[in-house]
Amino acid sequence: MSGPRTLRVVEFTGTVAGAACGRLFAGLGHDVLLCEPRTGTPLRAREFTFAALGAGKRSTIVGPGRWADDESGPLATADVLITDLTPAAATTADLDPDHLRQRFPHLVVVSLTAFGLTGEYRETTGDSLLAEAYGGLATMIGEPDRRPLSLGGEQTAHAAAFVGLYGAMLALRGRDRTGRGDLVEVALSDVAAYMDWKSDVVHSLGGGVPKRVGSSQGGWRVVRTKDGWLGVIFHPHQWPAVVELFGDPRLRAAGLDDEQQRARRSQEWWAVIAEAATGREAVELYTEAQRLGLPFAYAADAEALLASEQLRGRGFVLPADQRRTDAPVVGLPWTMSGAPGSTSPAPRLGEHGDRNQGAAASHRKPAPQHAAAPLDGLVVLDFGTITAGAATSRLLADYGATVVKIESQERPDPFRRWVMPGNADTVDGPVPPSPMFASNNAGKRGLCLDLKTEQGRAIAHELIRRADVLVENFRVGVTARMGIDYATAHRLNPDLVYLSLSSQGTSGPEAEYGSFGSTLDLLSGLAAVTGYAGERPMWSGGDVNYPDQVVSFVGASLVAEAVTTGRRGVHLDVSQREAVAWALADQLGEYAWTGRMPVPDGNRRPGATPRDTYPTAEPDSWLAIACAGDAHRQALARVITTLPGQEPEEWWLAHQDAVDEAVSAWTAGRPRDEAVAELRHAGVPAVPVHTAADRARDPRYLERRTALRVPDWLKGFPMVLHGHAPADPSLAPALGDNVGHLERAALDELLRPSAADSTPAPTPPPA
């Protein structure tokens, strides 16, 4: 049996999102040619970022005019082009997507920009801060009475890279049918909005405008320990385990065993927990909590991550004697049976010459077919729950896969019973499925099986024999007890693509530990670099659970890559912890080679200043600014005249506090949208910090289908695939009775593909 086909990818990028997308292709074994100007990609100036994201690629210098050379230019034989240029910059560089697709009809173009290719922000360059501000995610990060925060590192850029990979694979499947490529348009701000979908659910149900909760208050908190920080996360029924863990007799006070009393007296017992934690080490508390079944976590910093036995044992952290300064110190966040990822160094500038090299594009002349949905005909068994697994299979269903969601009456997906504002208390009879469940499970078919019975397992095994993909995110060990583990599934169906989305991967000393999204914020190192300068680690919180959101992109993209390139029988073992930690690869590399510990620094990042969120005149209203060069700073000084106009970057870096005070004084006296308009008119990269209410009012999100009304609010799509507009998904399946027997005809009907959507999107959507 032949192996998976190798794709030829051309990368012309200068941002983290584009470089990260190319790194994913290279890590999957594809030929990635990084085309650079003679001065090199701008990321070369960020040594450790380039080492992390340039790994496994080739480099060539491409001068002006080469793109139009159909016979010898790099695009003539490419399958995929990754670009991050705004429309005007793309035209100047002879990389306008529409013109490219005319010259190279087979080419799939992946565009990764901050705000998309249409609309008033299309020419605004931006990083994750601006994307997370405009998309509304930043509103949810930070303490409630303080400025909104960007997640540490370039999280949305890395999340968008996975969306770009997923879109490319969908477009390639379409090309296999029609012979024509496509344009995959990924806006980082859309990805940020998509990941904050739970805020939209709450707002649409009349639950107000969700805002950041922080990590120092609420039902879950981050508390200081003897040597670090601990995330205290538990359900009400786990209170006895919490009392046992901390061992303080004050936690056994009369009445605290009652959930309602405990809620009223929260400040009393939280003070006891905070005091007790200061006498214990963070890792010791974490380990003991896990033994008691509590999903606690310690805030891992760079030192802890590189020393972690779990991460080292899985090969995610490379041994010290194998590290190079021009290569990443961590691998990619998955293991793939039979296909190790590339950890080769980043290329030297132009080291692979200035002519086209490598294998020709792998496209082939297809038989004429109708324009079906990209994943039409793919059968997916969805054992996923909550978000990580269920959202992955929702993405597969969105683009044509037949997804069968398998639950049992005794243990349904917990999101079905998630109580939401305005949902459970206003109806007679059975409570309808929570809108949380609806968004992650729309477009699927449902089947209730009791896998503790022989009949239930027999049906599951027959489904496995006939499926293409299986998705699960159970705690490690559960699938073996249910009889649907990889070994069993592979024996039943050697071609099955099996995706595991566990907390820390299916192997290693911590593989069986439990977690929530907030747990993974801490264990991944993300919380340790998110927060206000010099203060406690900050997580994304239960209202966002960022790790759950990003891992769905990881899972969907890896499945799509496997079925598109012909990886059969593969076990895709994804660690949610590693998926988030991978986005910090450059910071981990810097620590490994310089000893400089990454720490929270608000919204400030190297290479951009000023870069922060600033208050405006309305209550709890903010805007974001990220100046990436002298031209931006000079434009800012023309608007805010108390700032100097001609000082070099070094001056701005040395006076960041004074600059932020001056900017805040100016913005605080103006309505948000007026201030943003004035700054943008002057040439300053500025955007409003949106909320869920802003998204509900902004037609952009409905027009680009990031959100849907069908007729109620529903999570939409994280990208625009120009050659295919997904149909609005059907309602999420209801929970039926356990099925003890399934006739062959019923099985055939369950797995029958839906009618293909034969209408491609004729034009890109407006912004």
Side-chain angles (χ1 to χ4, degrees):
M1 184 174 64
S2 62
R5 58 172 162 159
T6 299
L7 301 170
R8 183 143 195 274
V9 180
V10 171
E11 179 189 326
F12 188 88
T13 67
T15 63
V16 168
C21 190
R23 170 68 181 123
L24 295 175
F25 277 96
L28 288 162
H30 301 295
D31 174 35
V32 179
L33 181 67
L34 174 60
C35 294
E36 305 184 71
R38 298 201 177 275
T39 54
T41 172
L43 290 182
R44 285 187 180 272
R46 298 164 57 179
E47 174 186 5
F48 300 106
T49 300
F50 186 72
L53 300 181
K57 303 175 184 177
R58 297 186 295 121
S59 170
T60 188
I61 296 173
V62 177
R66 285 293 307 281
W67 299 105
D69 186 343
D70 290 358
E71 295 184 358
S72 62
L75 296 181
T77 56
D79 294 291
V80 178
L81 168 67
I82 303 170
T83 176
D84 53 14
L85 300 174
T86 65
T91 299
T92 300
D94 200 22
L95 286 171
D96 175 76
D98 290 334
H99 292 163
L100 285 176
R101 292 166 68 205
Q102 291 176 11
R103 292 203 300 263
F104 310 106
H106 67 278
L107 188 66
V108 170
V109 180
V110 178
S111 169
L112 291 150
T113 63
F115 304 104
L117 300 178
T118 57
E120 63 173 311
Y121 286 84
R122 64 187 179 278
E123 296 300 335
T124 301
T125 57
D127 58 8
S128 288
L129 170 63
L130 295 187
E132 290 166 22
Y134 189 78
L137 182 61
T139 290
M140 304 301 294
I141 312 300
E143 298 292 350
D145 56 346
R146 301 178 68 180
R147 69 181 66 242
L149 293 173
S150 173
L151 292 167
E154 288 274 349
Q155 290 299 322
T156 298
H158 285 81
F162 280 105
V163 177
L165 173 64
Y166 182 47
M169 294 303 156
L170 297 177
L172 288 167
R173 283 179 66 85
R175 189 187 71 178
D176 287 346
R177 288 191 175 101
T178 66
R180 296 192 63 83
D182 200 354
L183 171 59
V184 181
E185 183 186 343
V186 182
L188 272 64
S189 55
D190 287 354
V191 172
Y194 181 95
M195 290 192 293
D196 189 34
W197 63 275
K198 287 193 278 188
S199 294
D200 292 322
V201 171
V202 173
H203 178 67
S204 70
L205 291 173
V209 181
K211 297 288 180 68
R212 52 204 169 279
V213 175
S215 57
S216 62
Q217 55 187 296
W220 298 349
R221 301 187 188 184
V222 176
V223 299
R224 186 183 291 278
T225 66
K226 184 177 181 179
D227 61 346
W229 298 89
L230 180 77
V232 179
I233 304 167
F234 63 94
H235 285 307
H237 72 271
Q238 295 174 309
W239 176 252
V242 174
V243 174
E244 181 179 348
L245 174 67
F246 289 105
D248 193 299
R250 290 174 292 178
L251 297 177
R252 301 183 187 275
L256 286 185
D257 57 347
D258 178 77
E259 182 179 345
Q260 293 184 349
Q261 279 203 50
R262 197 163 61 244
R264 292 194 297 269
R265 297 164 59 184
S266 63
Q267 293 308 312
E268 172 189 336
W269 55 265
W270 270 118
V272 174
I273 287 176
E275 180 183 335
T278 59
R280 308 268 293 274
E281 293 182 350
V283 174
E284 178 258 325
L285 278 167
Y286 161 64
T287 304
E288 180 64 13
Q290 290 288 339
R291 185 189 67 80
L292 293 168
L294 296 167
F296 285 18
Y298 69 100
D301 60 14
E303 180 181 16
L305 290 172
L306 295 184
S308 167
E309 291 184 14
Q310 174 67 21
L311 299 181
R312 292 164 67 91
R314 282 178 54 80
F316 179 70
V317 171
L318 304 184
D321 60 359
Q322 296 181 20
R323 296 174 189 166
R324 296 179 47 166
T325 56
D326 58 353
V329 302
V330 297
L332 292 161
W334 64 78
T335 63
M336 183 183 299
S337 51
S342 168
T343 54
S344 58
R348 297 187 304 274
L349 177 61
E351 73 169 288
H352 299 95
D354 63 354
R355 303 298 294 173
N356 182 33
Q357 298 181 30
S362 59
H363 61 282
R364 52 190 179 270
K365 188 177 175 107
Q369 295 187 38
H370 64 276
L375 298 180
D376 181 51
L378 194 75
V379 175
V380 179
L381 304 183
D382 173 23
F383 290 92
T385 61
I386 307 290
T387 292
T392 295
S393 52
R394 159 74 200 273
L395 282 166
L396 300 173
D398 285 341
Y399 293 93
T402 299
V403 177
V404 180
K405 184 173 182 69
I406 300 175
E407 305 169 85
S408 73
Q409 275 281 351
E410 293 73 23
R411 295 185 66 85
D413 187 331
F415 254 8
R416 283 191 180 274
R417 299 170 178 173
W418 221 260
V419 176
M420 298 292 299
N423 175 236
D425 299 328
T426 58
V427 296
D428 296 323
V431 176
S434 164
M436 292 292 190
F437 178 85
S439 269
N440 278 341
N441 294 282
K444 304 177 186 179
R445 301 171 186 183
L447 183 64
C448 255
L449 295 180
D450 184 355
L451 295 182
K452 295 178 182 178
T453 67
E454 290 186 11
Q455 296 93 333
R457 289 194 184 195
I459 295 172
H461 289 177
E462 181 59 27
L463 289 169
I464 288 171
R465 291 187 183 96
R466 300 181 58 170
D468 301 292
V469 178
L470 186 150
V471 176
E472 62 90 8
N473 67 312
F474 291 117
R475 191 164 176 162
V476 172
V478 171
T479 56
R481 294 194 295 272
M482 296 168 67
I484 57 167
D485 55 296
Y486 172 69
T488 300
H490 186 65
R491 185 175 67 253
L492 294 167
N493 182 353
D495 289 341
L496 184 76
V497 174
Y498 191 106
L499 174 66
S500 296
L501 295 163
S502 57
S503 172
Q504 302 199 51
T506 61
S507 61
E510 299 176 35
E512 295 187 11
Y513 285 6
S515 69
F516 294 165
S518 296
T519 304
L520 295 164
D521 279 328
L522 293 159
L523 291 175
S524 66
L526 175 60
V529 295
T530 303
Y532 305 100
E535 299 186 22
R536 77 179 65 223
M538 184 69 60
W539 53 26
S540 62
D543 293 334
V544 174
N545 275 335
Y546 167 76
D548 290 346
Q549 314 310 324
V550 73
V551 80
S552 69
F553 299 147
V554 179
S557 64
L558 291 179
V559 166
E561 194 274 345
V563 300
T564 300
T565 62
R567 299 185 196 273
R568 298 186 182 278
V570 69
H571 184 195
L572 304 171
D573 177 10
V574 175
S575 160
Q576 297 182 43
R577 180 184 189 182
E578 294 168 12
V580 181
W582 176 69
L584 306 173
D586 56 348
Q587 297 187 34
L588 295 174
E590 182 175 11
Y591 173 76
W593 294 110
T594 70
R596 288 194 292 270
M597 177 66 70
V599 294
D601 197 17
N603 291 314
R604 294 175 181 174
R605 301 289 187 275
T609 186
R611 183 188 189 273
D612 213 334
T613 54
Y614 301 94
T616 56
E618 304 95 335
D620 196 20
S621 178
W622 304 80
L623 60 79
I625 294 173
C627 293
D630 289 337
H632 291 159
R633 287 184 281 272
Q634 291 169 10
L636 182 64
R638 287 194 295 271
V639 176
I640 304 176
T641 56
T642 56
L643 295 173
Q646 300 298 323
E647 295 290 352
E649 182 180 7
E650 292 73 18
W651 183 94
W652 291 81
L653 288 170
H655 297 84
Q656 290 186 85
D657 290 343
V659 168
D660 284 342
E661 288 179 8
V663 175
S664 294
W666 185 88
T667 60
R670 290 163 172 78
R672 183 193 68 184
D673 293 347
E674 291 181 17
V676 168
E678 188 172 351
L679 290 165
R680 289 180 51 77
H681 180 74
V684 179
V687 299
V689 177
H690 278 158
T691 66
D694 291 316
R695 286 198 297 259
R697 290 189 292 264
D698 189 342
R700 169 189 176 92
Y701 295 102
L702 288 176
E703 290 166 354
R704 292 179 66 87
R705 305 183 76 204
T706 309
L708 302 173
R709 295 281 185 183
V710 288
D712 296 326
W713 186 94
L714 195 70
K715 180 168 65 173
F717 314 107
M719 63 185 167
V720 176
L721 194 64
H722 282 231
H724 175 77
D728 287 344
S730 59
L731 296 177
L735 183 66
D737 295 328
N738 287 332
V739 175
H741 180 69
L742 206 60
E743 297 288 347
R744 174 67 59 170
L747 186 64
D748 291 342
E749 180 63 22
L750 181 70
L751 302 182
R752 182 182 57 81
S754 301
D757 177 5
S758 60
T759 306
T763 57

